[in-house]
Amino acid sequence: MAVTGRFVALLAVAIVPTVLLGSGWGGLAWIGLVVLASAVDLVLAADLRLVRVERRMPHLARRDTTAEGTLVLANDGRRVLRAVARDMWEPSAGHGPRRIPMTVPGGERRTARMRFAPFRRGRRTTAGIALRAAGPLGLAARQRVVAAPDALVVTPPFRSRRHLPSRLARLRELDGETTLQLRGHGTEFDSLRDYVRGDDVRSVDWRATARRQDLVVRTWRPERDRRVLVVVDAGRAGAGRVDDEPRLDTAIETALLVGALAAAAGDRVDLVVLDDTVRGRVHGATRADVVQRFGETLATAEPALRATDWAAVPAIVDAVTTQRALVVLATSLDSVGASGDLLAVLPVLGRRHAVVVTSVEDPAVVRMAATGGTTDGAEPGLARRRAGRDRAGWSRRDADQVYRRAAAERTLLDADGVADVARRAGAEVVRGLPEDVPPRTADAYIRAKASGRL
């Protein structure tokens, strides 16, 4: 049971007869009348046990976008339902409006629009819908929580999608499908055509030329139906925060962009989410469903404070394919100690597959190393002048800036050293700021296609 603001206002009116009559009997009589009216109002309210609820909403919604849904209330009783419905979603689902007033006559149903603007990826849930049904006088109301569990899977925002058109255009150039009439690259035979000035003489097909008595050249295209496996590191390396987001989010954006690009190129794409065990897997995604399947699997990925089992990656790759594949390890290279297990696996993978390793740089560390140890955008020249003062004239702030710059430089040098070790092991290393890593990894995939390494 619940009382309304109208009930409280009527009780406050009891002050008037008390003051006018100089006695509390008039006020008590008024309070008794209000309580009696509230009891009658509660009895006349609709029975919430005869109310059914239903949601019509999408199963998936992309973060930072808006999705629409519908709430349906069915009144199986005879009395009019004057209700306020509150769907009990988690706050990060961005559900609105929070309270929905609805009037449903007996034996009928009504619908109301809902809006979801989720701002955090993952699985957002609700346990039910809280209903408050008021009586015809609006003094008292019945309350009940109708069990209606549901879930909304919030997929990653896929901000790197804006890089997809330009990379697809480059793939079409490699495939010889643009109006530029470029010779397709690759090692897979495509077709024969007449020789035109500027063609490479090594592409001349002499047998076909002898048959046709005219110069004929072979055209090639990048290999299709190859395997691309993206391994997303969900271990402690992905838990570090860069620009107020975990590094795992950059790995997710990389996986989505590379997956969409490879599927559009006709390759078969697989995904593995790994920490100390496999947390998610997508096998054989196609061009039509790669973004949805990848997004649904990556939506629930969270960085764990556990070491990633890199020693299991060769067996995972062998379980996917026995042919040569492009293996993208979406992780981060920080120091030899932290990346030792990964570096030990790279020679094994590099002997059979083309390997690309990503590494995310922290913009704050880069700024600290470039601006004399300051993170507030101070000019490097000013920092150098401060560093050049006499030791007696140094302030505590100057010393802190010097040590911060030294620490930032040491961090970047460690990352450079680990990247060099990875390259010597046969892997291609893609380093950059969080917004640069996904497109650069897509460029590495295109280079592998163009050079015939995939």
Side-chain angles (χ1 to χ4, degrees):
M1 173 185 171
V3 295
T4 65
R6 185 179 300 179
F7 174 83
V8 177
L10 290 177
L11 286 183
V13 177
I15 300 175
V16 176
T18 302
V19 174
L20 292 179
L21 299 177
S23 173
W25 291 108
L28 290 176
W30 177 256
I31 292 174
L33 180 61
V34 173
V35 171
L36 179 61
S38 301
V40 174
D41 196 33
L42 185 64
V43 171
L44 296 178
D47 189 353
L48 293 179
R49 293 173 298 180
L50 301 177
V51 176
R52 293 180 289 111
V53 297
E54 178 186 352
R55 294 189 195 89
R56 300 169 185 170
M57 54 175 287
H59 173 63
L60 299 176
R62 187 173 299 161
R63 177 187 155 188
D64 299 333
T65 60
T66 302
E68 300 291 336
T70 303
L71 176 65
V72 182
L73 285 188
N75 182 12
D76 295 335
R78 296 182 177 179
R79 298 170 186 163
V80 177
L81 174 65
R82 304 173 182 86
V84 175
R86 181 179 181 274
D87 210 342
M88 301 165 63
W89 286 97
E90 299 176 23
S92 56
H95 171 260
R98 301 292 299 274
R99 290 175 173 82
I100 305 175
M102 302 180 69
T103 301
V104 186
E108 298 183 14
R109 60 172 58 196
R110 293 291 186 271
T111 62
R113 303 293 294 177
M114 298 187 300
R115 184 185 67 259
F116 296 90
F119 54 86
R120 182 181 176 186
R121 64 175 176 82
R123 185 181 179 86
R124 310 275 75 85
T125 59
T126 177
I129 298 176
L131 295 177
R132 177 177 292 180
L137 300 178
L139 298 177
R142 300 182 182 186
Q143 288 190 142
R144 183 169 181 258
V145 176
V146 180
D150 209 337
L152 177 69
V153 178
V154 182
T155 59
F158 196 11
R159 301 187 187 98
S160 57
R161 182 191 291 270
R162 66 182 184 274
H163 301 291
L164 191 57
S166 61
R167 270 63 186 183
L168 289 175
R170 292 177 59 184
L171 275 179
R172 286 192 294 270
E173 291 180 9
L174 291 177
D175 210 10
E177 294 177 0
T178 63
T179 58
L180 298 178
Q181 300 297 323
L182 296 177
R183 176 181 178 270
H185 297 275
T187 60
E188 185 174 307
F189 176 74
D190 183 26
S191 62
L192 296 173
R193 64 170 173 82
D194 292 336
Y195 175 87
V196 295
R197 182 174 297 179
D199 282 339
D200 190 345
V201 295
R202 292 174 296 179
S203 64
V204 175
D205 189 321
W206 296 109
R207 291 185 180 181
T209 297
R211 289 194 301 267
R212 296 178 56 178
Q213 298 298 311
D214 196 4
L215 281 177
V216 176
V217 295
R218 300 187 189 97
T219 60
W220 310 86
R221 68 180 181 185
E223 294 77 1
R224 296 179 182 270
D225 201 27
R226 294 300 189 260
R227 301 304 293 258
V228 177
L229 175 63
V230 183
V231 181
V232 174
D233 182 6
R236 59 191 176 201
R241 302 193 71 82
V242 176
D243 275 353
D244 200 32
E245 285 188 346
R247 286 176 173 172
L248 177 62
D249 285 8
T250 302
I252 289 174
E253 290 290 328
T254 302
L256 289 171
L257 181 58
V258 173
L261 184 62
D267 293 329
R268 288 179 288 177
V269 190
D270 299 273
L271 171 71
V272 172
V273 181
L274 181 70
D275 47 29
D276 58 346
T277 186
V278 176
R279 299 294 176 181
R281 191 190 297 266
V282 175
H283 180 70
T286 63
R287 181 172 185 172
D289 62 2
V290 59
V291 175
Q292 178 180 341
R293 292 179 62 187
F294 272 33
E296 191 169 358
T297 301
L298 294 169
T300 56
E302 294 294 341
L305 298 180
R306 294 184 287 268
T308 303
D309 186 12
W310 291 112
V313 173
I316 293 174
V317 177
D318 291 340
V320 172
T321 179
T322 58
Q323 300 176 350
R324 183 174 179 82
L326 176 67
V327 180
V328 179
L329 305 179
T331 180
S332 190
L333 302 176
D334 297 321
S335 63
V336 175
S339 306
D341 294 341
L342 172 61
L343 296 176
V345 171
L346 291 181
V348 179
L349 287 175
R351 282 195 292 267
R352 294 183 54 190
H353 306 285
V355 182
V356 176
V357 182
T358 68
S359 181
V360 182
E361 296 179 344
D362 191 341
V365 176
V366 175
R367 288 195 299 269
M368 195 179 299
T371 59
T374 62
T375 59
D376 55 358
E379 296 180 0
L382 177 60
R384 286 194 296 269
R385 288 195 297 272
R386 290 175 176 174
R389 293 176 183 171
D390 294 334
R391 182 174 299 178
W394 273 21
S395 66
R396 178 66 177 271
R397 177 181 175 84
D398 296 326
D400 289 344
Q401 290 177 354
V402 171
Y403 285 121
R404 286 173 182 168
R405 183 176 187 181
E409 293 283 0
R410 179 74 264 175
T411 300
L412 296 178
L413 287 175
D414 288 343
D416 290 339
V418 176
D420 289 339
V421 174
R423 292 188 184 97
R424 289 196 296 270
E428 180 176 354
V429 179
V430 176
R431 293 181 60 192
L433 301 179
E435 63 272 14
D436 297 331
V437 170
R440 290 180 181 178
T441 308
D443 293 338
Y445 164 77
I446 295 175
R447 287 194 297 271
K449 296 280 285 186
S451 62
R453 292 189 293 118
L454 177 57

